[in-house]
């Protein structure tokens, strides 16, 4: 009889240990998934930062070049060379509505002098 009691106690302890190990395993899996998500987010941030750094390095390489100086003078100050021709596209669409199509009636505005 004492052998049966010891066997039952051992089986009970074994079952409790297995349940405890299962709970620990599930928690570790959840934590591992969270860490993998964080790793992916950090890798994306690292790629964006590396891209921005590369852009700044290119800008720094070009800072003392003649083309960079000319471009900045044009963009920031509107400077041009003496012999340069500048073409400007006039956009009056905000002041004048588009022409009407034939056959539509347009009301004439009232003349305030009449």
């Amino acid at each position: 009889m004492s052998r049966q009691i010891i066997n039952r106690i051992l089986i009970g302890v074994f079952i409790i240990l297995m349940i405890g190990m299962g709970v620990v395993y599930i928690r570790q899996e959840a934590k591992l998934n969270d860490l993998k998500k964080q790793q992916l987010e950090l890798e994306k941030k690292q790629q964006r930062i590396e891209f921005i750094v590369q852009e700044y390095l290119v800008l720094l390489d070009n800072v003392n070049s003649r083309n960079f100086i000319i471009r900045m003078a044009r963009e920031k100050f509107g400077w041009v060379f003496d012999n340069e021709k500048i073409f400007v596209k006039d956009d009056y669409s905000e002041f004048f509505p588009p022409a009407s199509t034939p056959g539509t009636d347009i009301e004439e505005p009232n003349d305030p002098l009449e």
Side-chain angles (χ1 to χ4, degrees):
M1 181 118 184
S2 67
R3 186 87 173 135
Q4 287 179 343
I5 293 174
I6 292 174
N7 285 341
R8 287 184 183 183
I9 291 173
L10 288 176
I11 290 174
V13 169
F14 179 74
I15 291 173
I16 290 172
L17 284 174
M18 292 304 289
I19 291 172
M21 288 174 51
V23 169
V24 169
Y25 176 77
I26 291 172
R27 286 183 182 171
Q28 286 179 343
E29 284 293 317
K31 183 69 173 176
L32 183 63
N33 287 337
D34 290 340
L35 290 174
K36 285 181 181 179
K37 287 179 185 178
Q38 288 178 359
Q39 181 183 8
L40 288 175
E41 290 173 5
L42 289 173
E43 286 174 354
K44 288 179 184 178
K45 283 183 181 179
Q46 180 182 7
Q47 288 174 351
R48 283 183 282 183
I49 290 172
E50 287 175 355
F51 180 74
I52 292 170
V53 167
Q54 289 300 321
E55 285 182 338
Y56 281 121
L57 288 175
V58 168
L59 280 176
L60 284 174
D61 288 341
N62 293 330
V63 166
N64 291 328
S65 71
R66 185 174 196 279
N67 289 335
F68 179 80
I69 294 170
I70 291 171
R71 190 180 81 201
M72 286 296 117
R74 286 182 183 178
E75 288 178 8
K76 302 293 182 185
F77 304 114
W79 293 357
V80 294
F81 289 106
D82 291 335
N83 59 350
E84 192 172 11
K85 294 181 181 178
I86 299 176
F87 297 93
V88 179
K89 179 181 177 183
D90 291 332
D91 186 17
Y92 297 113
S93 61
E94 64 183 275
F95 301 111
F96 300 107
S100 61
T101 56
T104 58
D105 294 332
I106 298 177
E107 292 183 22
E108 293 289 328
N110 295 334
D111 190 6
L113 298 177
E114 289 183 354

